[in-house]
Amino acid sequence: MADLKTPYDVIIVGAGVAGCSLAHALASTPRREPLRIALLERSLEEPDRIVGELLQPGGVMALQQLGLEETLEEIDSIPVHGYCVTRKENIVHIPYPAGHKGRSFHHGKFIMNLRNAAKKAKGVDVIEATVNDLIESESSQQIIGVAATKKNAKDSENISLYAHLVIIADGCFSNFRTKVMGPRVCTPVTKSYFVGVILDDATLPYQYHGTVCLTESAGPVLLYQIGSHDTRMLVDVKAPVPSDLKGHILKKIVPQLPSVLHTSVTDAVQGGNFRKMPNSFLPSVMQGGNEFGTKEGVFLVGDAWNMRHPLTGGGMTVAFNDIVILRDMLARVQDFSHWDEVREGLRRWHWDRKPLASTVNILSFALYDLFGADDDNLEVLRTGCFKYFELGGECINGPVSLLAATIQSPATLFYHFFAVAFYSIWVMFTHARLVERGPGLKPQLITPSFTDYPFLLIKAILVIWTAVVVFLPLLWTEIRWWSPNDKNARTTILFRYGMPVAALATVAFGAFKLTF
Ligand SMILES: Cc1cc2nc3c(=O)[nH]c(=O)nc-3n(C[C@H](O)[C@H](O)[C@H](O)COP(=O)(O)OP(=O)(O)OC[C@H]3O[C@@H](n4cnc5c(N)ncnc54)[C@H](O)[C@@H]3O)c2cc1C
């Protein structure tokens, strides 16, 4: 590296949520020598996307720690005081505890504020250019810069920039994930799609609350206000996406929404201005080169590295929290050309971010599996989950604090998830349920009797097994440190040791809970 011209200390690719906040954070950290940072973005125009529109209270707190809370102002943002979950006309209110508050907004307006904050930070050059490639040192194979095409008024110009550290923050469709990860690369798995439309002047069941509508035989629907007159609706659809989206939403979804939403949703859907985004799962992999097998001189942040289901609106919260920890970690490295120090910092960062990131990641998919249930046992869990919330008190405060990212604890998540599982079984044995009585006859509410118990006992075992199969693999993706593509290691350890231990632990936990 010594013989190379190094005009920048850090190059950041992508001026989105993670890139802008990282540039600002690095520039604001006191150092012996101020850093020179290049922040490259392919288009500096206001983005128009259906992502990143609700920031959880934990994300607002991280933004404050980064000194960026001003970016939530002057964009017609809306306060968020919690959630409500609906099943047709049944509504359960789930406020954030202790007066915590999130914010929702038009994504593009928020990004423009973040970009302005990055532009104003000392030592940051924001350059409108598309990065085409990473430049590798021929002798060390370390990444030493980027090749990009600069967007000029008349023409486009190819440029090469060099730095000790290249940080990739190019989002969910990252072009550089494979190159950085090398043999450790893991590909995002698309779980479903969110189809988005904007409703005009809609009335939500609870004002200033995110709304999650559960539907039967279709995915959940998410609604939140993003401006004085605009409400975002995201409809979860599984692949293959129906060719007649309008018909799908009008016939299958609208009748299952609370009636207060019918008119505004129908009007917006008739307008048919749909946008679609994949909902992807991408577990994080240890970075830093050497024994981790990833490239040196470069690493990934944000969605390029780690993704979870957007149902719980946790992506930006994870990104900002990651940047807070990364900022403190990089502040201890005086010279970014000392890769051994950076590698050690990345290793610490990987684990230090886990309490929040793992909680948000696991929660998003665990809830998605329950709320998007298309299986009988998951349906039992979904009913149990709704009734668990109806119990109120800690059965609401605990889960919503995890969702809000004000509690960072996979153990608390484990507790509530399996409390829901055992409560679902209790509900199955004790609560009346609608039973079909044959063609032409109305379904009837029937409470299970002793003769149903043997069947219900078998079902209870299947329900617990389903809960274990949903939760444990998610937990596993968070605590393992090798590549998830390393199938042999994963399968052996997961099934030979992990599952039986987990099943035993779960049964012991359930017995404890039922006894006390
Ligand atoms: C449907 C959906 C809804 C979501 N809703 C929420 C929500 O409500 N709340 C929440 O917290 N999270 C939400 N998320 C997740 C959230 O949007 C992401 O976690 C967050 O945007 C990740 O930030 P990022 O900086 O990694 O990527 P981005 O914000 O996508 O930024 C990447 C940037 O890189 C630029 N770029 C890409 N390639 C290049 C290149 N080659 N050269 C130069 N620049 C490049 C892009 O133009 C972009 O500006 C949602 C996700 C989805 C899919």
Side-chain angles (χ1 to χ4, degrees):
M1 288 291 287
D3 58 328
L4 284 164
K5 196 171 161 241
T6 311
Y8 287 106
D9 296 291
V10 185
I11 292 172
I12 300 172
V13 178
V17 172
C20 291
S21 52
L22 179 58
H24 181 272
L26 292 179
S28 320
T29 311
R31 301 179 75 91
R32 264 205 313 260
E33 294 281 324
L35 290 175
R36 287 212 56 208
I37 301 163
L39 176 60
L40 281 80
E41 168 55 47
R42 65 180 165 201
S43 169
L44 289 174
E45 278 169 31
E46 185 172 314
D48 178 15
R49 304 177 67 191
I50 63 167
V51 307
E53 294 172 317
L54 188 151
L55 185 62
Q56 296 293 350
V60 175
M61 281 148 71
L63 211 53
Q64 283 162 352
Q65 284 176 269
L66 293 168
L68 284 169
E69 61 272 36
E70 289 283 301
T71 53
L72 292 169
E73 306 305 331
E74 314 276 318
I75 53 171
D76 191 23
S77 70
I78 304 292
V80 182
H81 296 295
Y83 275 79
C84 74
V85 180
T86 78
R87 279 185 116 186
K88 293 194 178 152
E89 300 302 334
N90 294 333
I91 300 174
V92 47
H93 180 211
I94 307 181
Y96 293 137
H100 285 299
K101 194 170 76 171
R103 291 290 263 276
S104 51
F105 35 71
H106 278 275
H107 175 78
K109 290 193 166 84
F110 178 52
I111 292 294
M112 291 314 270
N113 272 359
L114 285 174
R115 285 180 183 166
N116 282 335
K119 271 183 201 161
K120 282 188 205 149
K122 210 164 164 230
V124 178
D125 290 342
V126 178
I127 304 166
E128 191 164 39
T130 301
V131 174
N132 308 311
D133 208 353
L134 305 181
I135 303 172
E136 205 169 304
S137 152
E138 278 179 19
S139 54
S140 67
Q141 272 81 56
Q142 188 161 342
I143 298 299
I144 51 172
V146 300
T149 307
K150 205 168 170 182
K151 204 168 151 188
N152 287 336
K154 287 186 250 127
D155 229 335
S156 52
E157 176 197 349
N158 290 329
I159 53 169
S160 298
L161 299 175
Y162 295 91
H164 289 307
L165 201 53
V166 175
I167 305 177
I168 307 294
D170 62 345
C172 56
F173 302 114
S174 175
N175 285 324
F176 303 108
R177 195 177 280 136
T178 312
K179 189 151 187 179
V180 175
M181 290 298 182
R184 292 270 149 137
V185 74
C186 95
T187 354
V189 177
T190 298
K191 289 280 184 174
S192 61
Y193 293 84
F194 258 151
V195 173
V197 282
I198 289 186
L199 320 184
D200 291 332
D201 291 316
T203 307
L204 291 173
Y206 279 87
Q207 200 187 16
Y208 303 142
H209 284 66
T211 304
V212 182
C213 303
L214 306 186
T215 65
E216 269 159 35
S217 64
V221 178
L222 204 55
L223 297 113
Y224 39 81
Q225 201 180 336
I226 56 171
S228 306
H229 298 284
D230 296 341
T231 296
R232 166 68 67 206
M233 177 171 86
L234 293 172
V235 180
D236 182 82
V237 285
K238 295 225 163 64
V241 175
S243 53
D244 177 16
L245 262 178
K246 198 189 273 188
H248 170 79
I249 298 176
L250 288 177
K251 284 193 208 114
K252 281 202 161 172
I253 308 283
V254 176
Q256 302 198 53
L257 302 179
S259 48
V260 68
L261 285 162
H262 286 189
T263 310
S264 50
V265 172
T266 306
D267 289 351
V269 172
Q270 294 290 10
N273 194 10
F274 300 120
R275 313 283 299 279
K276 189 178 79 173
M277 277 295 286
N279 300 328
S280 304
F281 172 52
L282 179 69
S284 61
V285 174
M286 184 82 88
Q287 307 184 81
N290 216 355
E291 78 265 32
F292 308 129
T294 60
K295 278 272 170 220
E296 297 195 349
V298 63
F299 63 91
L300 306 160
V301 295
D303 276 13
W305 182 43
N306 184 205
M307 283 190 275
R308 73 288 314 149
H309 200 286
L311 175 68
T312 52
M316 294 189 293
T317 296
V318 171
F320 290 136
N321 182 65
D322 282 358
I323 302 304
V324 170
I325 301 171
L326 190 58
R327 171 197 65 184
D328 298 345
M329 182 280 282
L330 288 177
R332 283 179 232 133
V333 182
Q334 272 312 319
D335 185 346
F336 294 151
S337 69
H338 294 167
W339 184 252
D340 282 348
E341 284 181 45
V342 177
R343 175 192 297 120
E344 177 51 25
L346 289 177
R347 197 190 57 74
R348 264 187 280 120
W349 179 51
H350 183 86
W351 294 113
D352 287 357
R353 68 187 284 278
K354 287 284 177 193
L356 186 137
S358 299
T359 306
V360 174
N361 292 347
I362 299 172
L363 177 70
S364 73
F365 279 106
L367 264 191
Y368 178 69
D369 279 347
L370 258 56
F371 288 175
D374 53 3
D375 149 297
D376 267 4
N377 301 324
L378 284 168
E379 174 56 37
V380 171
L381 288 169
R382 179 161 66 159
T383 305
C385 184
F386 194 84
K387 297 205 174 222
Y388 187 76
F389 292 150
E390 283 179 336
L391 294 174
E394 201 37 40
C395 300
I396 281 185
N397 286 346
V400 78
S401 302
L402 294 164
L403 183 98
T406 51
I407 291 184
Q408 310 178 4
S409 165
T412 309
L413 176 56
F414 182 95
Y415 170 84
H416 283 288
F417 188 82
F418 285 102
V420 165
F422 284 100
Y423 187 66
S424 304
I425 290 169
W426 171 257
V427 166
M428 194 171 73
F429 273 92
T430 56
H431 288 210
R433 66 196 159 91
L434 271 182
V435 177
E436 300 283 344
R437 293 182 306 145
L441 294 173
K442 271 193 175 171
Q444 207 179 0
L445 268 178
I446 294 179
T447 309
S449 63
F450 280 114
T451 52
D452 297 318
Y453 284 4
F455 166 75
L456 290 180
L457 198 62
I458 295 168
K459 189 141 177 96
I461 294 167
L462 292 176
V463 167
I464 289 297
W465 180 248
T466 305
V468 169
V469 169
V470 166
F471 196 88
L472 267 288
L474 290 172
L475 181 64
W476 200 250
T477 59
E478 294 294 332
I479 55 177
R480 57 132 184 78
W481 62 95
W482 60 88
S483 160
N485 287 355
D486 190 353
K487 282 204 177 103
N488 287 339
R490 184 183 50 177
T491 314
T492 309
I493 297 180
L494 182 62
F495 288 99
R496 191 175 294 168
Y497 308 110
M499 286 299 212
V501 170
L504 276 176
T506 306
V507 171
F509 169 80
F512 175 82
K513 222 180 138 40
L514 287 179
T515 316
F516 301 102

